Amino acid sequence: MSAAFKRRLASPVMWLLPFALIFGAFQIAPLVWVMVSAFKTPTGWGLANFHEIASSAFFRQAIWRSLEISFMSSVLGLAIAAVTCHSMHRCGPRLTRMMIAFTNMTSNFAGVPLAFAFIILMGANGMLTLMLERFGLLEDFNLYSRTGLIVIYTWFQIPLGILLLYPAFSTLKTEWREAASLLGANRLAYWQHIGLPVLWPSLAGTLTVLFASAMGAYATVYALVNTSYNLMTIRIANLVSGDLFLQPELASALALVLVVILVIVTLIQQWLMRRSYHVTSR
């Protein structure tokens, strides 16, 4: 074995080659296939699939409902995660370690098990639902409605938000709060001029990740409502496996619309971060 070959073998690029092959096979190749298939029509190539999506009230409703539930659950999950992270940094190290371990565990509790747990607790005859109704604290709650989906989406957004935001709160120094207090700033002024501007990149990035996670969620919502609620992921799955007449090209077009939405959201997040006065490009 020559010395040149040994140096080439020891190169970090060579060790990244297996990852690049796996990434290309399971990420790039399917995306390319979706992009090509989306423009394929029975008569050749064109925009007929996208025209059908744009002209169909059914598909427009699926897009709107996915955007609505994803945005609301992401904002709620981000707010709860931010408050939780702030509280964790003000607690003792033992309680913080317990919270991190619990968050790691709950972040993997999703999909069908999560839907089943919510059905047991908050379904029509769920334990928590019946108890709250008995004490007059809950009326007409339907887990299988828009409100119920927002609740279950928010639930699996919170652990992910905590894991992403917790390191960012370590950048807030105790000395900054003390200095602001000495200069006469109250708690609201501290968060408005110091805390939130410092955390803004992490908050914006976490919101984008949570939104993308909600837009792509399928197993939990399918196990909960099957096909009775119109969402993009449900429609894509039905177009490739659930209908009598399969339409994989239309499913590819709808999937490409989903990709475009996520790209637009990411670009908006990057634009907002560049406009932030503490993140400047030089």
Side-chain angles (χ1 to χ4, degrees), residues 41 83 111 144 148 229 241 244 253 261:
T41 65
V83 173
Y144 313 102
Y229 200 86
S241 63
L244 294 176
I261 290 174

mmCIF file of all heavy atoms in Angstrom, residues 41 83 111 144 148 229 241 244 253 261:
data_model
loop_
_atom_site.group_PDB
_atom_site.id
_atom_site.type_symbol
_atom_site.label_atom_id
_atom_site.label_comp_id
_atom_site.label_asym_id
_atom_site.label_seq_id
_atom_site.Cartn_x
_atom_site.Cartn_y
_atom_site.Cartn_z
ATOM 1 N N THR A 41 -47.478 13.899 -16.900
ATOM 2 C CA THR A 41 -48.919 13.818 -17.097
ATOM 3 C C THR A 41 -49.241 12.665 -18.049
ATOM 4 O O THR A 41 -48.349 12.148 -18.725
ATOM 5 C CB THR A 41 -49.470 15.133 -17.681
ATOM 6 O OG1 THR A 41 -48.928 15.314 -18.998
ATOM 7 C CG2 THR A 41 -49.094 16.316 -16.803
ATOM 8 N N VAL A 83 -40.411 28.988 27.903
ATOM 9 C CA VAL A 83 -40.665 29.176 29.341
ATOM 10 C C VAL A 83 -40.046 28.033 30.140
ATOM 11 O O VAL A 83 -39.449 28.242 31.203
ATOM 12 C CB VAL A 83 -42.173 29.283 29.605
ATOM 13 C CG1 VAL A 83 -42.460 29.311 31.096
ATOM 14 C CG2 VAL A 83 -42.747 30.529 28.946
ATOM 15 N N GLY A 111 -45.952 9.265 17.025
ATOM 16 C CA GLY A 111 -46.549 8.307 16.117
ATOM 17 C C GLY A 111 -47.776 7.634 16.701
ATOM 18 O O GLY A 111 -48.558 8.239 17.443
ATOM 19 N N TYR A 144 -60.709 14.646 17.903
ATOM 20 C CA TYR A 144 -60.580 14.352 16.480
ATOM 21 C C TYR A 144 -60.922 15.557 15.608
ATOM 22 O O TYR A 144 -61.173 15.411 14.417
ATOM 23 C CB TYR A 144 -61.484 13.177 16.125
ATOM 24 C CG TYR A 144 -61.351 12.037 17.104
ATOM 25 C CD1 TYR A 144 -62.309 11.828 18.089
ATOM 26 C CD2 TYR A 144 -60.242 11.203 17.070
ATOM 27 C CE1 TYR A 144 -62.181 10.791 19.000
ATOM 28 C CE2 TYR A 144 -60.103 10.163 17.980
ATOM 29 C CZ TYR A 144 -61.073 9.972 18.945
ATOM 30 O OH TYR A 144 -60.932 8.957 19.858
ATOM 31 N N GLY A 148 -58.362 19.439 18.720
ATOM 32 C CA GLY A 148 -57.669 18.259 19.212
ATOM 33 C C GLY A 148 -56.351 18.017 18.516
ATOM 34 O O GLY A 148 -55.349 17.633 19.145
ATOM 35 N N TYR A 229 -59.803 13.747 8.392
ATOM 36 C CA TYR A 229 -59.390 15.149 8.448
ATOM 37 C C TYR A 229 -58.445 15.407 7.292
ATOM 38 O O TYR A 229 -57.510 14.642 7.051
ATOM 39 C CB TYR A 229 -58.716 15.468 9.783
ATOM 40 C CG TYR A 229 -58.715 16.950 10.103
ATOM 41 C CD1 TYR A 229 -59.801 17.541 10.730
ATOM 42 C CD2 TYR A 229 -57.634 17.739 9.767
ATOM 43 C CE1 TYR A 229 -59.812 18.900 11.022
ATOM 44 C CE2 TYR A 229 -57.636 19.085 10.051
ATOM 45 C CZ TYR A 229 -58.721 19.661 10.677
ATOM 46 O OH TYR A 229 -58.726 21.011 10.948
ATOM 47 N N SER A 241 -51.436 5.168 -2.086
ATOM 48 C CA SER A 241 -51.712 3.849 -1.514
ATOM 49 C C SER A 241 -53.163 3.623 -1.124
ATOM 50 O O SER A 241 -53.574 2.478 -0.978
ATOM 51 C CB SER A 241 -50.845 3.628 -0.262
ATOM 52 O OG SER A 241 -51.172 4.579 0.747
ATOM 53 N N LEU A 244 -58.616 3.667 -4.977
ATOM 54 C CA LEU A 244 -58.739 2.610 -5.984
ATOM 55 C C LEU A 244 -57.914 2.931 -7.216
ATOM 56 O O LEU A 244 -57.320 2.059 -7.832
ATOM 57 C CB LEU A 244 -60.210 2.422 -6.357
ATOM 58 C CG LEU A 244 -61.115 1.879 -5.240
ATOM 59 C CD1 LEU A 244 -62.560 1.826 -5.720
ATOM 60 C CD2 LEU A 244 -60.660 0.497 -4.790
ATOM 61 N N ALA A 253 -46.641 15.963 -7.113
ATOM 62 C CA ALA A 253 -46.864 17.403 -7.230
ATOM 63 C C ALA A 253 -47.232 18.004 -5.887
ATOM 64 O O ALA A 253 -46.740 19.080 -5.514
ATOM 65 C CB ALA A 253 -47.959 17.674 -8.264
ATOM 66 N N ILE A 261 -43.149 25.042 0.170
ATOM 67 C CA ILE A 261 -43.611 25.772 1.348
ATOM 68 C C ILE A 261 -42.525 25.800 2.417
ATOM 69 O O ILE A 261 -42.241 26.851 3.017
ATOM 70 C CB ILE A 261 -44.902 25.139 1.896
ATOM 71 C CG1 ILE A 261 -46.068 25.384 0.939
ATOM 72 C CG2 ILE A 261 -45.245 25.697 3.276
ATOM 73 C CD1 ILE A 261 -47.344 24.664 1.328
#
